[in-house]
Amino acid sequence: MKLSVIGAGYVGLTTAACLAQVGHDVFCSESDVEKLSKLQDGGMPLFEPHLEDVIKGVRKAGRLRFGSTEEAIAWGDAIFICVGTPPLPNGDADLCAIEGVARAIAKGASGYRLVIEKSTVPVQTGAQLRKHLSVHSTSGLRYDVASNPEFLREGTSVGDFLHPDRIVIGADSPRAAAILREIYEPIIKQSFTCPIHSDCPKRGDPIFLATDTNSAELIKHASNSFLAMKISFINMVANLCEVVGADVTMVAEGMGLDPRIGSSFLNPGIGFGGFCFPKDVQAFIRIAEKSGCDFSLLKEVEKINQGRVERFVEQVRNELWVLRGKKIAVWGLAFKPNTDDVRFAPALSIIRRLQAEGAHIQAYDPEAMEKAKKEIPDVTYCQDAYEAATGTDAVLLLTEWEEFRKVDWSRLATLVERPLIIDGRNALLREDVVSNGFHYIGIGGVSATPKEASALIGT
Ligand SMILES: NC(=O)c1ccc[n+]([C@@H]2O[C@H](COP(=O)([O-])OP(=O)(O)OC[C@H]3O[C@@H](n4cnc5c(N)ncnc54)[C@H](O)[C@@H]3O)[C@@H](O)[C@H]2O)c1
């Protein structure tokens, strides 16, 4: 099928590449001229595992092209809108880019188009889209509007898109539902050639859930808000553990063994960040407010998350006493591992707070330094974890990249001014750290290693 994708960010680029991978002819547009020319020249505007290879393959096969939004609108029978929906100062989602695309489609397209919202949008955005397509249509456009929320995670986006747990579509016409079913058929049947697994992990066929548009829009905001709630919940449990002398990793393990709870998203730390959870929780609170529902539960989720940065800085202050003039190493800048995305990354908030108290930061991240430099230029960016730690009074682990778990701690011990690790993600193998003479501080009262704990009961 001829498909268009508007917006070549983390979601749009993955969507375009994966839909081409499963056999569609895709045109992807991008309004940022620098990003677009990079893509047209075979480069990548962002880091996402496997994505570059998939793009290379489908471009070689002639199934993916990049260009302007006008060309994209002219090309596809179905148009996926994947532009950003950042937060406004009052928490509402900024739908400016969505509105701009709707207007361009209304003015530029003739004949039938299925317009698909893949960006995360407030409930009833579909209804607004329908209205604006009709108001601005100048060339006899016939259209349906559908919602198709995206659940991919940065860092694993290609695998998530090709092997999803579920595909949710919200359509208010049988024609729109049928087109979306056809688009996703190869993924539903898992009948494509997988570009990343020679032997695909058999996850079972994804569930194709068709709802009305409003419900599909709500599913996305409700899902992200629920996951954010789980994170804030375990972060409060971590605070409690620190006071009462329990170990949050063990508490989380014990909770997660209950299948009604599940173990994912029970990792305490410095709080959630990125381009989804913080803004989606805010937007969901606003949606509820405007509908007359006081979703105060989510206000607490947000408040707890905002408190994580200050609490972590306080931990650093407790250890280092005076921060002015101290050299501090920061390992990890991206909001999570395996991405270069630093939008709403807690690591950047922590750095800004430490700098405000006069600390000097030496930072290293495997992929996110280019993007971080644009946000906080006044940091010493380093080649690797060792250079970042050299001469420092503390090493703060703020993003749990795998390479930090493989550090040679005996070498590191010779480089630091003071052997202190503050692990904001409880990600390091504590016995390795401690056995090399470091003082280790984690989140939520983690001090005894799981090994020591089992030694206590003789297992
Ligand atoms: N990043 C994620 O993990 C994720 C996951 C699920 C859903 N989402 C949602 O998907 C949407 C996009 O997120 P993202 O992370 O890909 O954002 P992004 O900022 O990386 O990408 C959006 C892209 O759209 C481009 N754009 C804006 N207006 C345009 C136009 N008129 N024509 C062509 N391009 C245009 C921007 O330049 C940008 O490159 C958001 O609503 C987000 O909430 C994101």
Side-chain angles (χ1 to χ4, degrees), residues 26 31 109 118 163 165 197-198 210 311 322 359 390:
V26 182
S31 60
K118 194 169 257 311
H163 309 295
D165 305 310
H197 308 110
S198 51
R311 193 177 171 91
V322 174
T390 301

Side-chain angles (χ1 to χ4, degrees), residues 267-308:
N267 306 316
I270 55 177
F272 54 78
F275 196 51
C276 288
F277 288 179
K279 79 172 174 55
D280 290 352
V281 169
Q282 278 182 21
F284 206 36
I285 291 170
R286 291 285 297 152
I287 291 163
E289 258 169 20
K290 286 195 236 171
S291 314
C293 305
D294 181 8
F295 213 147
S296 54
L297 175 66
L298 287 183
K299 291 181 188 162
E300 279 303 312
V301 168
E302 198 189 12
K303 196 171 122 201
I304 292 165
N305 198 55
Q306 285 164 353
R308 298 312 289 170

Side-chain angles (χ1 to χ4, degrees), residues 76-145:
D77 300 320
I79 303 174
F80 286 85
I81 304 179
C82 299
V83 299
T85 48
L88 289 167
N90 70 356
D92 277 341
D94 183 352
L95 300 179
C96 211
I98 302 259
E99 206 254 3
V101 173
R103 197 180 279 252
I105 295 173
K107 289 191 186 301
S110 54
Y112 177 83
R113 294 289 188 285
L114 173 60
V115 179
I116 305 160
E117 341 157 316
K118 194 169 257 311
S119 301
T120 303
V121 291
V123 62
Q124 296 178 337
T125 299
Q128 288 292 352
L129 269 174
R130 282 184 198 102
K131 187 169 145 194
H132 282 263
L133 286 170
S134 143
V135 167
H136 296 294
S137 165
T138 50
S139 320
L141 171 70
R142 286 174 295 110
Y143 61 85
D144 278 307
V145 170

